[in-house]
């Protein structure tokens, strides 16, 4: 990790130009450039740039090997979060807990460090809304984001987590991950997902459209919904949840909080400018 910047340093004191980017396939939809660029501007890092680069699993090794010393870090989206693991020199305990890396930092010695900011980002988003402990929770889905959600819940959920999944294989994976994380996980068929809406915290991790049919089943007094989608927004489930008086967090909340941590790890500047990044994200989303 780059040395932490002096909090009293004058803005714009970064000498050498530095580069960062978000990689994935597809990646054209990513709001990460707006968030990171807003952070650089607020921090006075005039020589820093951040871009989107379409990269799949086959191209990733060659891409990493070709990077020069001006590169500070990378944000990774699907399908690269697990594909990058064998290409790194070390990964954090957080990333190891779910076998997924969404942040690569290039160290001064040229080595590659992997981290996962989705997990602490999700926790930070919940804490911002006053949720630091929950008695039980439900997860809708069983993909990579569901794994990060389960890892986050391992730190704040006092009781059972019920995961509503499609397929026996995914169910087995979620239970095994719960055992690794020390979480009491029970899996149910996706056909029973309506029951999960009664949990005090529901984290929806499925692709767009997957939860639309559940919207009409939102209970009269729902708890908190964290729907990780940010486009289209609001989802039918989130809109119905809000109309019923429940608290709703969206994918932009997660994206911003995990990006804050990425900026801190890549630049060494702490704290990252949360307010400026949020304003940039909201403006970019509204423009669409």
């Amino acid at each position: 990790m780059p040395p932490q910047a002096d909090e009293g340093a004058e803005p714009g004191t970064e000498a050498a130009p530095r580069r960062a980017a978000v990689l994935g396939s597809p990646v054209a939809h990513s709001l990460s450039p707006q968030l990171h660029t807003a952070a650089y501007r607020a921090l006075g890092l005039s020589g820093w740039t951040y871009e989107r680069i379409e990269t799949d699993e086959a191209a990733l090794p060659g891409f990493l090997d070709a990077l020069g010393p001006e590169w500070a870090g990378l944000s990774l989206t699907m399908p690269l979060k697990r594909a990058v693991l064998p290409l790194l020199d070390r990964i954090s305990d957080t990333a190891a807990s779910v076998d997924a890396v969404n942040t690569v930092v290039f160290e001064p010695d040229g080595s590659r460090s992997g981290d996962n900011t989705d997990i602490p980002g999700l926790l930070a988003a919940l804490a911002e809304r006053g949720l630091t402990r929950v008695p039980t929770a439900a997860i809708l889905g069983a993909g990579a984001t569901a794994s990060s959600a389960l890892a986050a819940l391992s730190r704040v959920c006092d009781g059972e987590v019920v995961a509503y999944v499609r397929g026996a294989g995914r169910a087995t994976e979620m239970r095994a991950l719960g055992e690794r994380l020390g979480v009491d996980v029970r899996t149910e068929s996706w056909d029973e997902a309506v029951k999960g809406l009664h949990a005090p915290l529901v984290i929806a991790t499925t692709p767009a459209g997957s939860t639309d049919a559940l919207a009409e089943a939102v209970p009269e007094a729902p708890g908190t919904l964290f729907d990780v989608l940010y486009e289209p927004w609001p989802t039918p489930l989130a809109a119905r949840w809000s109309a019923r008086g429940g608290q709703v967090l969206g994918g932009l909340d997660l994206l911003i909080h995990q990006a804050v941590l990425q900026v801190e790890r890549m630049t060494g500047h702490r704290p990252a400018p949360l307010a400026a990044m949020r304003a940039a994200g909201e403006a970019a989303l509204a423009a669409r």
Side-chain angles (χ1 to χ4, degrees), residues 3-18 39-48 267-270:
Q4 182 167 327
D6 182 353
E7 293 182 358
E10 291 296 322
T13 56
E14 293 286 333
R18 304 302 307 276
Y40 300 158
R41 188 178 302 116
L43 292 168
L45 303 179
S46 58
W48 284 68
T267 70
H269 285 258
R270 297 179 181 83

PDB file of all heavy atoms in Angstrom, residues 3-18 39-48 267-270:
ATOM      1  N   PRO A   3       2.437   4.817   0.949  1.00  0.00           N
ATOM      2  CA  PRO A   3       2.491   5.459   2.246  1.00  0.00           C
ATOM      3  C   PRO A   3       1.303   6.378   2.428  1.00  0.00           C
ATOM      4  O   PRO A   3       0.863   7.040   1.491  1.00  0.00           O
ATOM      5  CB  PRO A   3       3.807   6.248   2.195  1.00  0.00           C
ATOM      6  CG  PRO A   3       4.605   5.609   1.109  1.00  0.00           C
ATOM      7  CD  PRO A   3       3.630   5.081   0.129  1.00  0.00           C
ATOM      8  N   GLN A   4       0.801   6.459   3.638  1.00  0.00           N
ATOM      9  CA  GLN A   4      -0.333   7.323   3.904  1.00  0.00           C
ATOM     10  C   GLN A   4       0.099   8.768   3.767  1.00  0.00           C
ATOM     11  O   GLN A   4       1.143   9.192   4.263  1.00  0.00           O
ATOM     12  CB  GLN A   4      -0.879   7.070   5.317  1.00  0.00           C
ATOM     13  CG  GLN A   4      -2.111   7.917   5.628  1.00  0.00           C
ATOM     14  CD  GLN A   4      -2.793   7.440   6.870  1.00  0.00           C
ATOM     15  OE1 GLN A   4      -2.780   6.245   7.165  1.00  0.00           O
ATOM     16  NE2 GLN A   4      -3.371   8.344   7.624  1.00  0.00           N
ATOM     17  N   ALA A   5      -0.708   9.554   3.066  1.00  0.00           N
ATOM     18  CA  ALA A   5      -0.359  10.947   2.848  1.00  0.00           C
ATOM     19  C   ALA A   5      -0.464  11.737   4.132  1.00  0.00           C
ATOM     20  O   ALA A   5      -1.280  11.444   5.004  1.00  0.00           O
ATOM     21  CB  ALA A   5      -1.291  11.552   1.785  1.00  0.00           C
ATOM     22  N   ASP A   6       0.345  12.754   4.244  1.00  0.00           N
ATOM     23  CA  ASP A   6       0.285  13.660   5.376  1.00  0.00           C
ATOM     24  C   ASP A   6      -1.027  14.412   5.322  1.00  0.00           C
ATOM     25  O   ASP A   6      -1.335  15.089   4.338  1.00  0.00           O
ATOM     26  CB  ASP A   6       1.466  14.627   5.290  1.00  0.00           C
ATOM     27  CG  ASP A   6       1.526  15.595   6.473  1.00  0.00           C
ATOM     28  OD1 ASP A   6       0.587  15.598   7.272  1.00  0.00           O
ATOM     29  OD2 ASP A   6       2.528  16.336   6.568  1.00  0.00           O
ATOM     30  N   GLU A   7      -1.822  14.312   6.391  1.00  0.00           N
ATOM     31  CA  GLU A   7      -3.137  14.940   6.377  1.00  0.00           C
ATOM     32  C   GLU A   7      -3.031  16.455   6.256  1.00  0.00           C
ATOM     33  O   GLU A   7      -3.977  17.124   5.879  1.00  0.00           O
ATOM     34  CB  GLU A   7      -3.921  14.546   7.626  1.00  0.00           C
ATOM     35  CG  GLU A   7      -4.283  13.068   7.641  1.00  0.00           C
ATOM     36  CD  GLU A   7      -5.102  12.700   8.858  1.00  0.00           C
ATOM     37  OE1 GLU A   7      -5.351  13.581   9.684  1.00  0.00           O
ATOM     38  OE2 GLU A   7      -5.497  11.522   8.965  1.00  0.00           O
ATOM     39  N   GLY A   8      -1.866  16.997   6.585  1.00  0.00           N
ATOM     40  CA  GLY A   8      -1.712  18.437   6.483  1.00  0.00           C
ATOM     41  C   GLY A   8      -1.113  18.876   5.167  1.00  0.00           C
ATOM     42  O   GLY A   8      -0.841  20.048   4.964  1.00  0.00           O
ATOM     43  N   ALA A   9      -0.892  17.951   4.252  1.00  0.00           N
ATOM     44  CA  ALA A   9      -0.265  18.304   2.987  1.00  0.00           C
ATOM     45  C   ALA A   9      -1.171  19.197   2.162  1.00  0.00           C
ATOM     46  O   ALA A   9      -2.392  19.101   2.220  1.00  0.00           O
ATOM     47  CB  ALA A   9       0.080  17.040   2.204  1.00  0.00           C
ATOM     48  N   GLU A  10      -0.556  20.067   1.372  1.00  0.00           N
ATOM     49  CA  GLU A  10      -1.319  20.942   0.497  1.00  0.00           C
ATOM     50  C   GLU A  10      -1.888  20.144  -0.669  1.00  0.00           C
ATOM     51  O   GLU A  10      -1.227  19.243  -1.186  1.00  0.00           O
ATOM     52  CB  GLU A  10      -0.426  22.063  -0.039  1.00  0.00           C
ATOM     53  CG  GLU A  10      -0.003  23.069   1.020  1.00  0.00           C
ATOM     54  CD  GLU A  10      -1.193  23.827   1.583  1.00  0.00           C
ATOM     55  OE1 GLU A  10      -2.114  24.148   0.812  1.00  0.00           O
ATOM     56  OE2 GLU A  10      -1.201  24.080   2.799  1.00  0.00           O
ATOM     57  N   PRO A  11      -3.125  20.459  -1.111  1.00  0.00           N
ATOM     58  CA  PRO A  11      -3.687  19.773  -2.266  1.00  0.00           C
ATOM     59  C   PRO A  11      -2.791  19.945  -3.486  1.00  0.00           C
ATOM     60  O   PRO A  11      -2.138  20.971  -3.669  1.00  0.00           O
ATOM     61  CB  PRO A  11      -5.042  20.477  -2.464  1.00  0.00           C
ATOM     62  CG  PRO A  11      -5.381  21.044  -1.121  1.00  0.00           C
ATOM     63  CD  PRO A  11      -4.060  21.417  -0.518  1.00  0.00           C
ATOM     64  N   GLY A  12      -2.769  18.930  -4.328  1.00  0.00           N
ATOM     65  CA  GLY A  12      -2.034  19.009  -5.570  1.00  0.00           C
ATOM     66  C   GLY A  12      -0.548  18.755  -5.447  1.00  0.00           C
ATOM     67  O   GLY A  12       0.208  19.077  -6.357  1.00  0.00           O
ATOM     68  N   THR A  13      -0.111  18.181  -4.318  1.00  0.00           N
ATOM     69  CA  THR A  13       1.318  17.981  -4.123  1.00  0.00           C
ATOM     70  C   THR A  13       1.813  16.660  -4.684  1.00  0.00           C
ATOM     71  O   THR A  13       2.986  16.350  -4.593  1.00  0.00           O
ATOM     72  CB  THR A  13       1.664  18.053  -2.625  1.00  0.00           C
ATOM     73  OG1 THR A  13       0.881  17.085  -1.917  1.00  0.00           O
ATOM     74  CG2 THR A  13       1.377  19.434  -2.068  1.00  0.00           C
ATOM     75  N   GLU A  14       0.922  15.836  -5.262  1.00  0.00           N
ATOM     76  CA  GLU A  14       1.354  14.588  -5.868  1.00  0.00           C
ATOM     77  C   GLU A  14       2.165  14.906  -7.131  1.00  0.00           C
ATOM     78  O   GLU A  14       1.689  15.600  -8.026  1.00  0.00           O
ATOM     79  CB  GLU A  14       0.146  13.718  -6.237  1.00  0.00           C
ATOM     80  CG  GLU A  14      -0.632  13.210  -5.038  1.00  0.00           C
ATOM     81  CD  GLU A  14       0.096  12.094  -4.307  1.00  0.00           C
ATOM     82  OE1 GLU A  14       0.892  11.389  -4.961  1.00  0.00           O
ATOM     83  OE2 GLU A  14      -0.130  11.928  -3.120  1.00  0.00           O
ATOM     84  N   ALA A  15       3.395  14.423  -7.203  1.00  0.00           N
ATOM     85  CA  ALA A  15       4.292  14.794  -8.295  1.00  0.00           C
ATOM     86  C   ALA A  15       4.048  13.955  -9.553  1.00  0.00           C
ATOM     87  O   ALA A  15       3.692  14.470 -10.602  1.00  0.00           O
ATOM     88  CB  ALA A  15       5.742  14.680  -7.837  1.00  0.00           C
ATOM     89  N   ALA A  16       4.293  12.663  -9.467  1.00  0.00           N
ATOM     90  CA  ALA A  16       4.236  11.813 -10.649  1.00  0.00           C
ATOM     91  C   ALA A  16       2.796  11.458 -11.007  1.00  0.00           C
ATOM     92  O   ALA A  16       1.986  11.164 -10.135  1.00  0.00           O
ATOM     93  CB  ALA A  16       5.032  10.537 -10.397  1.00  0.00           C
ATOM     94  N   PRO A  17       2.448  11.460 -12.301  1.00  0.00           N
ATOM     95  CA  PRO A  17       1.111  11.027 -12.723  1.00  0.00           C
ATOM     96  C   PRO A  17       0.885   9.571 -12.330  1.00  0.00           C
ATOM     97  O   PRO A  17       1.788   8.734 -12.431  1.00  0.00           O
ATOM     98  CB  PRO A  17       1.149  11.190 -14.242  1.00  0.00           C
ATOM     99  CG  PRO A  17       2.249  12.177 -14.494  1.00  0.00           C
ATOM    100  CD  PRO A  17       3.257  11.921 -13.429  1.00  0.00           C
ATOM    101  N   ARG A  18      -0.306   9.272 -11.875  1.00  0.00           N
ATOM    102  CA  ARG A  18      -0.650   7.909 -11.495  1.00  0.00           C
ATOM    103  C   ARG A  18      -1.926   7.505 -12.210  1.00  0.00           C
ATOM    104  O   ARG A  18      -2.791   8.336 -12.482  1.00  0.00           O
ATOM    105  CB  ARG A  18      -0.867   7.775  -9.975  1.00  0.00           C
ATOM    106  CG  ARG A  18       0.296   8.220  -9.107  1.00  0.00           C
ATOM    107  CD  ARG A  18       1.600   7.474  -9.405  1.00  0.00           C
ATOM    108  NE  ARG A  18       1.491   6.035  -9.364  1.00  0.00           N
ATOM    109  CZ  ARG A  18       1.576   5.288  -8.248  1.00  0.00           C
ATOM    110  NH1 ARG A  18       1.733   5.874  -7.077  1.00  0.00           N
ATOM    111  NH2 ARG A  18       1.498   3.971  -8.308  1.00  0.00           N
ATOM    112  N   ALA A  39     -13.069  11.957  -6.302  1.00  0.00           N
ATOM    113  CA  ALA A  39     -12.189  11.876  -5.138  1.00  0.00           C
ATOM    114  C   ALA A  39     -10.841  12.527  -5.428  1.00  0.00           C
ATOM    115  O   ALA A  39     -10.315  13.298  -4.611  1.00  0.00           O
ATOM    116  CB  ALA A  39     -11.988  10.420  -4.738  1.00  0.00           C
ATOM    117  N   TYR A  40     -10.275  12.226  -6.604  1.00  0.00           N
ATOM    118  CA  TYR A  40      -8.983  12.821  -6.951  1.00  0.00           C
ATOM    119  C   TYR A  40      -9.083  14.353  -6.975  1.00  0.00           C
ATOM    120  O   TYR A  40      -8.192  15.057  -6.500  1.00  0.00           O
ATOM    121  CB  TYR A  40      -8.510  12.327  -8.318  1.00  0.00           C
ATOM    122  CG  TYR A  40      -8.325  10.830  -8.445  1.00  0.00           C
ATOM    123  CD1 TYR A  40      -8.342  10.214  -9.691  1.00  0.00           C
ATOM    124  CD2 TYR A  40      -8.143  10.022  -7.313  1.00  0.00           C
ATOM    125  CE1 TYR A  40      -8.170   8.845  -9.824  1.00  0.00           C
ATOM    126  CE2 TYR A  40      -7.987   8.651  -7.442  1.00  0.00           C
ATOM    127  CZ  TYR A  40      -8.000   8.070  -8.694  1.00  0.00           C
ATOM    128  OH  TYR A  40      -7.834   6.707  -8.820  1.00  0.00           O
ATOM    129  N   ARG A  41     -10.181  14.835  -7.535  1.00  0.00           N
ATOM    130  CA  ARG A  41     -10.362  16.286  -7.628  1.00  0.00           C
ATOM    131  C   ARG A  41     -10.453  16.901  -6.230  1.00  0.00           C
ATOM    132  O   ARG A  41      -9.801  17.921  -5.953  1.00  0.00           O
ATOM    133  CB  ARG A  41     -11.628  16.589  -8.435  1.00  0.00           C
ATOM    134  CG  ARG A  41     -11.810  18.057  -8.761  1.00  0.00           C
ATOM    135  CD  ARG A  41     -13.062  18.275  -9.606  1.00  0.00           C
ATOM    136  NE  ARG A  41     -13.011  17.515 -10.853  1.00  0.00           N
ATOM    137  CZ  ARG A  41     -13.848  16.536 -11.168  1.00  0.00           C
ATOM    138  NH1 ARG A  41     -14.799  16.175 -10.317  1.00  0.00           N
ATOM    139  NH2 ARG A  41     -13.739  15.912 -12.321  1.00  0.00           N
ATOM    140  N   ALA A  42     -11.234  16.272  -5.359  1.00  0.00           N
ATOM    141  CA  ALA A  42     -11.401  16.806  -4.010  1.00  0.00           C
ATOM    142  C   ALA A  42     -10.101  16.737  -3.201  1.00  0.00           C
ATOM    143  O   ALA A  42      -9.846  17.581  -2.345  1.00  0.00           O
ATOM    144  CB  ALA A  42     -12.509  16.045  -3.281  1.00  0.00           C
ATOM    145  N   LEU A  43      -9.293  15.743  -3.482  1.00  0.00           N
ATOM    146  CA  LEU A  43      -8.027  15.579  -2.763  1.00  0.00           C
ATOM    147  C   LEU A  43      -6.886  16.374  -3.379  1.00  0.00           C
ATOM    148  O   LEU A  43      -5.773  16.394  -2.837  1.00  0.00           O
ATOM    149  CB  LEU A  43      -7.643  14.091  -2.729  1.00  0.00           C
ATOM    150  CG  LEU A  43      -8.536  13.178  -1.885  1.00  0.00           C
ATOM    151  CD1 LEU A  43      -8.222  11.708  -2.169  1.00  0.00           C
ATOM    152  CD2 LEU A  43      -8.369  13.488  -0.402  1.00  0.00           C
ATOM    153  N   GLY A  44      -7.139  16.996  -4.517  1.00  0.00           N
ATOM    154  CA  GLY A  44      -6.097  17.761  -5.175  1.00  0.00           C
ATOM    155  C   GLY A  44      -5.076  16.920  -5.905  1.00  0.00           C
ATOM    156  O   GLY A  44      -3.955  17.363  -6.154  1.00  0.00           O
ATOM    157  N   LEU A  45      -5.450  15.697  -6.276  1.00  0.00           N
ATOM    158  CA  LEU A  45      -4.525  14.790  -6.970  1.00  0.00           C
ATOM    159  C   LEU A  45      -4.647  15.008  -8.477  1.00  0.00           C
ATOM    160  O   LEU A  45      -5.213  14.196  -9.207  1.00  0.00           O
ATOM    161  CB  LEU A  45      -4.823  13.336  -6.598  1.00  0.00           C
ATOM    162  CG  LEU A  45      -4.769  13.022  -5.099  1.00  0.00           C
ATOM    163  CD1 LEU A  45      -5.102  11.560  -4.840  1.00  0.00           C
ATOM    164  CD2 LEU A  45      -3.400  13.358  -4.522  1.00  0.00           C
ATOM    165  N   SER A  46      -4.090  16.117  -8.944  1.00  0.00           N
ATOM    166  CA  SER A  46      -4.293  16.530 -10.332  1.00  0.00           C
ATOM    167  C   SER A  46      -3.637  15.596 -11.338  1.00  0.00           C
ATOM    168  O   SER A  46      -4.023  15.557 -12.502  1.00  0.00           O
ATOM    169  CB  SER A  46      -3.770  17.952 -10.535  1.00  0.00           C
ATOM    170  OG  SER A  46      -2.389  18.029 -10.186  1.00  0.00           O
ATOM    171  N   GLY A  47      -2.648  14.829 -10.907  1.00  0.00           N
ATOM    172  CA  GLY A  47      -1.965  13.940 -11.826  1.00  0.00           C
ATOM    173  C   GLY A  47      -2.552  12.541 -11.908  1.00  0.00           C
ATOM    174  O   GLY A  47      -2.021  11.687 -12.618  1.00  0.00           O
ATOM    175  N   TRP A  48      -3.660  12.295 -11.197  1.00  0.00           N
ATOM    176  CA  TRP A  48      -4.264  10.959 -11.159  1.00  0.00           C
ATOM    177  C   TRP A  48      -5.383  10.857 -12.189  1.00  0.00           C
ATOM    178  O   TRP A  48      -6.186  11.776 -12.347  1.00  0.00           O
ATOM    179  CB  TRP A  48      -4.829  10.676  -9.771  1.00  0.00           C
ATOM    180  CG  TRP A  48      -3.785  10.346  -8.754  1.00  0.00           C
ATOM    181  CD1 TRP A  48      -2.836  11.188  -8.246  1.00  0.00           C
ATOM    182  CD2 TRP A  48      -3.597   9.090  -8.096  1.00  0.00           C
ATOM    183  NE1 TRP A  48      -2.065  10.541  -7.315  1.00  0.00           N
ATOM    184  CE2 TRP A  48      -2.508   9.241  -7.209  1.00  0.00           C
ATOM    185  CE3 TRP A  48      -4.230   7.858  -8.175  1.00  0.00           C
ATOM    186  CZ2 TRP A  48      -2.034   8.207  -6.406  1.00  0.00           C
ATOM    187  CZ3 TRP A  48      -3.783   6.815  -7.367  1.00  0.00           C
ATOM    188  CH2 TRP A  48      -2.694   6.996  -6.505  1.00  0.00           C
ATOM    189  N   THR A 267      -4.489   5.518  -3.011  1.00  0.00           N
ATOM    190  CA  THR A 267      -3.807   6.812  -2.933  1.00  0.00           C
ATOM    191  C   THR A 267      -3.063   7.018  -1.626  1.00  0.00           C
ATOM    192  O   THR A 267      -2.141   7.833  -1.568  1.00  0.00           O
ATOM    193  CB  THR A 267      -4.804   7.977  -3.090  1.00  0.00           C
ATOM    194  OG1 THR A 267      -5.647   8.048  -1.927  1.00  0.00           O
ATOM    195  CG2 THR A 267      -5.656   7.813  -4.344  1.00  0.00           C
ATOM    196  N   GLY A 268      -3.476   6.322  -0.572  1.00  0.00           N
ATOM    197  CA  GLY A 268      -2.884   6.563   0.739  1.00  0.00           C
ATOM    198  C   GLY A 268      -3.488   7.748   1.458  1.00  0.00           C
ATOM    199  O   GLY A 268      -3.101   8.053   2.584  1.00  0.00           O
ATOM    200  N   HIS A 269      -4.453   8.435   0.840  1.00  0.00           N
ATOM    201  CA  HIS A 269      -5.093   9.597   1.469  1.00  0.00           C
ATOM    202  C   HIS A 269      -6.311   9.150   2.273  1.00  0.00           C
ATOM    203  O   HIS A 269      -7.200   8.489   1.735  1.00  0.00           O
ATOM    204  CB  HIS A 269      -5.516  10.607   0.402  1.00  0.00           C
ATOM    205  CG  HIS A 269      -4.385  11.392  -0.168  1.00  0.00           C
ATOM    206  ND1 HIS A 269      -4.108  12.677   0.203  1.00  0.00           N
ATOM    207  CD2 HIS A 269      -3.438  11.058  -1.091  1.00  0.00           C
ATOM    208  CE1 HIS A 269      -3.052  13.122  -0.469  1.00  0.00           C
ATOM    209  NE2 HIS A 269      -2.633  12.147  -1.260  1.00  0.00           N
ATOM    210  N   ARG A 270      -6.344   9.541   3.545  1.00  0.00           N
ATOM    211  CA  ARG A 270      -7.467   9.197   4.410  1.00  0.00           C
ATOM    212  C   ARG A 270      -7.861  10.432   5.226  1.00  0.00           C
ATOM    213  O   ARG A 270      -6.971  11.125   5.725  1.00  0.00           O
ATOM    214  CB  ARG A 270      -7.090   8.057   5.374  1.00  0.00           C
ATOM    215  CG  ARG A 270      -6.756   6.758   4.684  1.00  0.00           C
ATOM    216  CD  ARG A 270      -6.380   5.692   5.726  1.00  0.00           C
ATOM    217  NE  ARG A 270      -6.040   4.446   5.081  1.00  0.00           N
ATOM    218  CZ  ARG A 270      -4.851   4.158   4.576  1.00  0.00           C
ATOM    219  NH1 ARG A 270      -3.869   5.054   4.651  1.00  0.00           N
ATOM    220  NH2 ARG A 270      -4.620   3.004   3.995  1.00  0.00           N
TER     221      ARG A 270
END
